Amino acid sequence: MMNALVLQSDFGLEDGAVSAMKGVAHNVSKVIPIFDNTHDIPPFDIWAGSYRLLQTVSYWPKGTVFVSVVDPGVGTNRKSVVVKTKGEQYIVTPDNGTLTHIYEKVGIEAIREIDENVNRLPHSGASHTFHGRDIYAYTGARVAAGVIPFEKVGPELNVSGVIRLPFCEAELIDDAIHGTIDILDVRYGNLWTNISRELFLKLGVSYGNPVEVNILNDSRVIYSNVMTFGKSFAAIHVGEPLVYVNSLDNMAIAINQGSFARAYNIGTGSSWRISIRKR
Amino acid sequence: MMNALVLQSDFGLEDGAVSAMKGVAHNVSKVIPIFDNTHDIPPFDIWAGSYRLLQTVSYWPKGTVFVSVVDPGVGTNRKSVVVKTKGEQYIVTPDNGTLTHIYEKVGIEAIREIDENVNRLPHSGASHTFHGRDIYAYTGARVAAGVIPFEKVGPELNVSGVIRLPFCEAELIDDAIHGTIDILDVRYGNLWTNISRELFLKLGVSYGNPVEVNILNDSRVIYSNVMTFGKSFAAIHVGEPLVYVNSLDNMAIAINQGSFARAYNIGTGSSWRISIRKR
Amino acid sequence: MMNALVLQSDFGLEDGAVSAMKGVAHNVSKVIPIFDNTHDIPPFDIWAGSYRLLQTVSYWPKGTVFVSVVDPGVGTNRKSVVVKTKGEQYIVTPDNGTLTHIYEKVGIEAIREIDENVNRLPHSGASHTFHGRDIYAYTGARVAAGVIPFEKVGPELNVSGVIRLPFCEAELIDDAIHGTIDILDVRYGNLWTNISRELFLKLGVSYGNPVEVNILNDSRVIYSNVMTFGKSFAAIHVGEPLVYVNSLDNMAIAINQGSFARAYNIGTGSSWRISIRKR
């Protein structure tokens, strides 16, 4: 049985790097289907790589093998690993924080360190900067094609030792929910928070109700205003802001057909805090 | 028999949205080939989405299923539809004007509204903002794979009721052809007009002849000059402008190895009018 | 036996051009796998197209057919050709310099001019500006699918007549190696030189040693400093420069997690000269 191989990286598509990875994979097996998650992860942004995995894995079949290469530490002693998730999928990646969201939200069944003696593209020994091609794509394709089983990738590691970036859950304190802005819906400039729909609904808010939204960068107030909780953009006029449930079932903030992030110059990460309360 | 699924959207490739669509489609059928038309439609630009379909569908085989998601009205009562074209292909899209060029230039054989009770990704009920993944990719893959026939997509609608954007045909008046600038050949900055080669040839112009080109934005003259009608860029020097027949068999304006659009700050749409006369 | 078809161009992915090429190929054969090398070659940059082929071909299987369309001379009498490389792969391209690196570094076994009477998409006669779709993708797919053998593409040409751009090899003179900056690792801003690892090692430098790097644009000194020869980025601190062996086994210059090219405003081509000496 052939499984899909889904690649992501921070390489961009401007040069031949992604093509070389696909060539290596296609050389391993001419019949595994090869797809892209995204290759426009901002350079070295491990958090974004971790998030994009969480955003997508559940839509792919069991058995799918994901290869993620955001690897600022290539050449250090950071480990190269394959994990089997609780969703019965595989992820091949440097163990550098890329597995944070999968660890927290999907769960990891088992993790193995890649033994580079058996899992490295033959004759690729001289370059020490492109493990994405020489190790990750090669190993991912071999697992997807069933050339080697997960169990033969290399020695098993302790799941609790997976490297994780700081990961905060949103909280309901008194009558407000406090969370962070995890990432942008890049193209549209919408803010995606770490506040789940489930937690949000504890505010007792219904579609069409106004809510008060405060956004802080560290302690500085960047935005403070009232907006509608809408089922979709259809609930409001073009140019109006709204709070809505995004495609990952978390709360998001947008300006209908505008860019909220650009309008208020808003970034992402743990210093970007958001609170929402019923009005 | 498996048909190709060809996806286009205004989602960009920076995040996981397109990957999620492909995962849903691959989950429906592991053997349908999945391709991209483009995902760089400018956000909410229904006209461009409509044009990009016209630009490409005829090069794909009969039976191909296109999914187009430029959907500023997601969550409104705009309909989700599947059309069968007179070219024996299928297009899955919100009925919001995306079918304008196909309606006018290819023809629509039949149109059916998607019944979301049977054609929605299971367990995707909570999000109301990503029909591209939950409805369009899912339905497109099911039609491409033959899981459901077109006839079972949902109730038939009246073809004449398809939503169309204003669509002007170019005209020959006296000794000049008057048209509009439909779209840019983005990367090169060439102007693609709605003037067909057939209509243009009524001017009695041959390769190598000079023509006078006037470009107006509303009533303001933006460009007025004489250039050559060339068979290809080889007909003129680098840096010179020319009129040529583009890859859709319409008339286009370019600067050889330069950007006409950037040079004269030219946009697209019905307010951008162009006239060409024999000199 | 089906071979992969790998496409590259300077078309970008913003419009439908690449999709039209893939549709034509898929129409020729529904079972050949179709991949992208890159479509973000800078417009008309034949050198970059040539380089991106060299960067990737060796990672794809024997029998793979590459189509490269960087074609500023479309419509001139530049030839359309298919070459068989010494690596037993095929490249379909305008013969305009795109084959420079393949000629110099891989070797060309045989070259044939495409006979457009038999190798042109039926009914595509009116457009003279999109040979990428009408001739190259069509012919490439037919060769990949085995519809026509290489020998039937058209008349054989003399390999020594392949059009080549000026191509300089790096040299060791006295105690310094002199080369050029061939191309950028675009996303990261690293400089990729034409100095091979093998030549560089003649300086007698080991990992961790300092080397002196001089970069000139024509005769103007742009950069002159000492940096470390590192095995990978792990050898130095974030923000430090280093010399390393890139993924093509050539010497490259980078700032760890920064952009060397942007930091010093560095370009590529034969006027951008670099010398490295042991310190």
Side-chain angles (χ1 to χ4, degrees), chain A residues 1-6 33 35 56-66 85 87-91, chain B residues 19-31 34 121:
Chain A
M1 184 57 205
M2 289 300 160
N3 295 301
L5 184 69
V6 182
F35 295 95
T56 50
V57 295
S58 67
Y59 296 97
W60 290 91
K62 288 180 183 180
T64 299
V65 178
F66 299 86
T85 72
E88 293 175 52
Q89 297 175 322
Y90 300 90
I91 302 172
Chain B
S19 165
M21 288 175 72
K22 290 184 182 173
V24 165
H26 188 65
N27 240 326
V28 166
S29 162
K30 295 196 177 176
V31 296
I34 303 173
L121 181 66

Side-chain angles (χ1 to χ4, degrees), chain C residues 255-275:
Chain C
I255 291 174
N256 190 7
Q257 297 189 30
S259 168
F260 198 100
R262 221 181 301 144
Y264 302 100
N265 220 359
I266 288 172
T268 61
S270 60
S271 68
W272 286 92
R273 297 185 292 128
I274 182 168
S275 65

Side-chain angles (χ1 to χ4, degrees), chain B residues 16 24 34 45 49 53 62 81 90 103-104 119 134 157 173 184 195 207 229 264:
Chain B
V24 165
I34 303 173
D45 188 340
L53 286 174
K62 287 180 186 183
V81 301
Y90 300 90
Y103 181 98
E104 299 284 353
N119 295 302
D134 301 336
L157 302 176
I173 301 172
L184 300 182
I195 301 169
Y207 288 139
F229 170 43
Y264 302 100

Side-chain angles (χ1 to χ4, degrees), chain A residues 82-116:
Chain A
V82 183
V83 301
K84 182 177 182 182
T85 72
K86 292 203 167 149
E88 293 175 52
Q89 297 175 322
Y90 300 90
I91 302 172
V92 185
T93 179
D95 182 26
N96 59 7
T98 296
L99 293 166
T100 302
H101 288 84
I102 295 295
Y103 182 97
E104 299 284 353
K105 294 293 189 181
V106 175
I108 292 177
E109 183 79 28
I111 175 168
R112 289 178 178 274
E113 182 168 3
I114 297 173
D115 177 353
E116 296 186 13

